Amino acid sequence: MENSTMQAAKKKRFHIWLIGEGEPLPVNQTERLMRLGMLAKYLSGQGHKVTWWSSAFIHGKKQYYCDEYKEISINANERLILLHSNTAYKKNISLSRIVYHRKLAAAFRKYSRKKSVPELIFCAWPTAQFAREAVRYGKENKIPVVVDIRDLWPDIFNRAFPDRLQWLSKIVLKPLQYSASRTLRQASAITGMVPHAMAWGCRYAGRPAGERDQTIFIGNEKPCMSEEEWEQNLSWWREKGVTEATWNICYFGTLSVSVDLGTVMEAVRMLAEEYPDIRLIIGGEGDCKEKLMRQAQGSKQIYFAGWLNGQQMNSLMKVCRCGTYSYKNSEDFYHTFSNKGIQYLSCGLPIINSLGGFARELLLKNECGLTYQEGNAADCAEQIKRLYSDPKRCRQMAENARALFEKSFDAAIVNRQFEDYFYKILGGQQDG
């Protein structure tokens, strides 16, 4: 039973700042694909005042939505502020991206001082620079700042150094690690999308997890389109030769050095002679796209669709039998299960997975996916064949996938958890 302080707090709506990059065009209320976008939509719908600080740069497309600072009123309770850094980047791990983040943080420092002070700040990690400025602002104005760990920055930069230069990475990353530790130590609380992420943040903060720290899974909205929209998008796919007539596997995500997509592609090629109706449809852009396309050259079973919007992804999943969640087992991915995997679950797709940590345990426990050994195309081919050759098992896994989504990852559930969590953070500061 909630205490009187919590009950009093729940009678009142709060003003929250959400800080972090997401899809920069949440004006379309039917298409919120990222954690902050869906949370902003939910909280504003509950009557809370939401100010969302994001960027004018579209991360997925690597281009600017607008070339200046811009404010957009989404509805009576939600306002989006797009900051402009005057710097673009092409590679996810690069010096230009670090410069971009620093300029973004400087823009936040400049404009945040001109806005009314919120009661609470919820800030995504990364970016570290954004979080540092959020914590600084919180201390100045005596308001709580919650940092939400999504990626393990700066530790992920280790993979930018080859094995022979790992000694150099320790030197280069030391000041970044010190800065991260200082920021997280000063945060009021830490959340994470998986238990490991939350624990990592607390470890950097130099303390064990406390009552205010919490794991809250990433959520996804159920696909919602009109019959006309479904037909339009399915027709778009038919024009590209993607139909229910073939046994389709989809991949959504950034085409970077972090993905193990090459293994899946090789597995599909290995199966092509015996199972010519198997298709792999790849949605996404990234630094490794050209390399992957060269690897796929000559294969009629592999199709690169480029960057896809929400409706295009949902309609593709409608004609797919499974999705592939293929990443390399580096520290920052080993323990994760991100929005792309959850997106597959939302459409009832079994998952072909490469990760050996949290994702493998989750899929095994709920019987909604199969795991192959990263880099082992023969093993990956075997797992695909197991699904293909057993339609009954494939259908049961599809049902299990949908059940897992509705139990743990539906955005409606996750966002209510966030709202309750924010009341908990504010409860000790409000007298009702």
Side-chain angles (χ1 to χ4, degrees):
M1 185 174 179
E2 296 174 323
N3 59 40
S4 57
T5 305
M6 181 70 73
Q7 291 171 341
K10 280 204 171 185
K11 292 179 182 177
K12 138 180 216 187
R13 299 291 181 258
F14 51 76
H15 178 197
I16 186 170
W17 280 6
L18 304 180
I19 301 177
E21 299 174 88
E23 73 278 24
L25 292 172
V27 179
N28 179 358
Q29 292 293 298
T30 64
E31 189 169 306
R32 301 285 186 108
L33 304 179
M34 306 298 285
R35 191 167 171 92
L36 283 187
M38 288 185 284
L39 183 56
K41 178 182 176 181
Y42 172 81
L43 292 176
S44 64
Q46 295 298 111
H48 304 293
K49 183 179 178 182
V50 178
T51 303
W52 178 10
W53 298 82
S54 189
S55 170
F57 189 72
I58 305 173
H59 174 74
K61 293 184 175 181
K62 300 295 188 292
Q63 65 186 42
Y64 277 103
Y65 162 65
C66 59
D67 58 2
E68 60 184 357
Y69 171 94
K70 189 178 184 68
E71 292 192 28
I72 303 173
S73 178
I74 307 299
N75 56 52
N77 296 322
E78 181 184 354
R79 191 163 193 81
L80 172 67
I81 298 177
L82 296 177
L83 299 171
H84 196 271
S85 73
N86 238 354
T87 299
Y89 61 89
K90 294 297 182 183
K91 295 185 177 181
N92 291 337
I93 298 179
S94 61
L95 179 61
S96 58
R97 189 175 185 185
I98 293 175
V99 173
Y100 159 82
H101 285 156
R102 287 181 176 175
K103 290 187 176 181
L104 207 63
F108 171 76
R109 183 168 60 247
K110 173 184 176 181
Y111 290 104
S112 62
R113 272 60 181 176
K114 302 177 182 180
K115 303 297 179 182
S116 59
V117 178
E119 297 163 79
L120 171 69
I121 293 177
F122 181 68
C123 181
W125 180 285
T127 64
Q129 294 89 338
F130 237 153
R132 183 180 64 239
E133 290 300 328
V135 167
R136 180 182 297 171
Y137 182 95
K139 290 179 71 69
E140 289 175 0
N141 293 279
K142 296 181 173 56
I143 58 173
V145 178
V146 178
V147 176
D148 185 43
I149 307 297
R150 286 102 179 276
D151 290 321
L152 312 185
W153 283 35
D155 292 2
I156 64 168
F157 289 110
N158 276 320
R159 66 171 182 260
F161 293 82
D163 291 342
R164 69 180 186 278
L165 293 178
Q166 282 301 303
W167 62 271
L168 179 60
S169 75
K170 294 178 181 178
I171 297 173
V172 172
L173 296 182
K174 191 170 184 179
L176 297 177
Q177 290 169 333
Y178 173 79
S179 177
S181 180
R182 182 179 179 185
T183 297
L184 292 172
R185 194 166 56 245
Q186 294 176 344
S188 307
I190 292 170
T191 57
M193 298 190 298
V194 290
H196 180 76
M198 189 267 288
W200 178 92
C202 291
R203 186 169 70 249
Y204 251 82
R207 59 173 178 77
E211 291 184 359
R212 285 185 155 199
D213 306 309
Q214 190 167 323
T215 298
I216 300 179
F217 291 136
I218 191 168
N220 195 62
E221 293 183 334
K222 295 177 182 178
C224 182
M225 291 192 285
S226 67
E227 288 187 17
E228 182 181 357
E229 288 171 331
W230 277 115
E231 183 54 35
Q232 286 176 348
N233 283 279
L234 288 172
S235 294
W236 186 81
W237 282 113
R238 291 187 199 110
E239 291 172 2
K240 292 164 175 50
V242 179
T243 71
E244 289 181 318
T246 51
W247 205 91
N248 302 318
I249 305 168
C250 60
Y251 168 85
F252 303 136
T254 303
L255 307 182
S256 70
V257 294
S258 303
V259 304
D260 189 46
L261 193 55
T263 301
V264 184
M265 291 166 54
E266 185 60 29
V268 170
R269 294 183 76 122
M270 291 170 67
L271 294 169
E273 185 173 348
E274 187 176 2
Y275 305 100
D277 60 330
I278 290 178
R279 298 285 186 276
L280 173 63
I281 300 97
I282 298 168
E285 300 285 348
D287 304 338
C288 293
K289 183 177 180 179
E290 290 185 6
K291 177 182 177 181
L292 290 169
M293 290 183 74
R294 285 195 298 271
Q295 182 180 342
Q297 193 169 6
S299 173
K300 297 179 180 179
Q301 281 72 39
I302 302 171
Y303 175 70
F304 286 83
W307 183 87
L308 301 173
N309 63 35
Q311 290 190 352
Q312 290 165 341
M313 285 187 279
N314 288 335
S315 57
L316 173 60
M317 287 188 284
K318 192 175 180 66
V319 295
C320 283
R321 305 298 179 90
C322 65
T324 176
Y325 188 70
S326 299
Y327 292 91
K328 295 177 181 177
N329 281 268
S330 56
E331 183 190 358
D332 51 317
F333 282 105
Y334 183 81
H335 299 282
T336 65
F337 190 65
S338 69
N339 63 306
K340 295 308 177 187
I342 296 162
Q343 196 171 2
Y344 300 146
L345 297 180
S346 72
C347 285
L349 290 185
I351 294 174
I352 299 294
N353 164 62
S354 65
L355 296 178
F358 181 77
R360 178 181 181 275
E361 294 172 8
L362 182 75
L363 299 175
L364 184 63
K365 179 180 178 181
N366 293 276
E367 298 182 0
C368 57
L370 299 172
T371 297
Y372 70 90
Q373 182 182 28
E374 175 207 326
N376 188 333
D379 186 32
C380 183
E382 181 60 29
Q383 304 314 316
I384 294 172
K385 190 159 62 172
R386 286 173 66 189
L387 275 184
Y388 181 98
S389 60
D390 193 344
K392 183 178 178 180
R393 186 183 189 192
C394 190
R395 286 194 297 271
Q396 184 59 58
M397 281 194 167
E399 292 177 13
N400 295 344
R402 191 172 285 106
L404 174 60
F405 170 79
E406 292 176 351
K407 178 180 71 174
S408 300
F409 297 107
D410 190 329
I413 295 172
V414 172
N415 289 332
R416 281 198 299 271
Q417 290 175 343
F418 265 123
E419 185 181 27
D420 290 342
Y421 173 73
F422 294 147
Y423 274 128
K424 177 181 176 181
I425 296 295
L426 292 169
Q429 300 196 6
Q430 298 184 31
D431 59 12

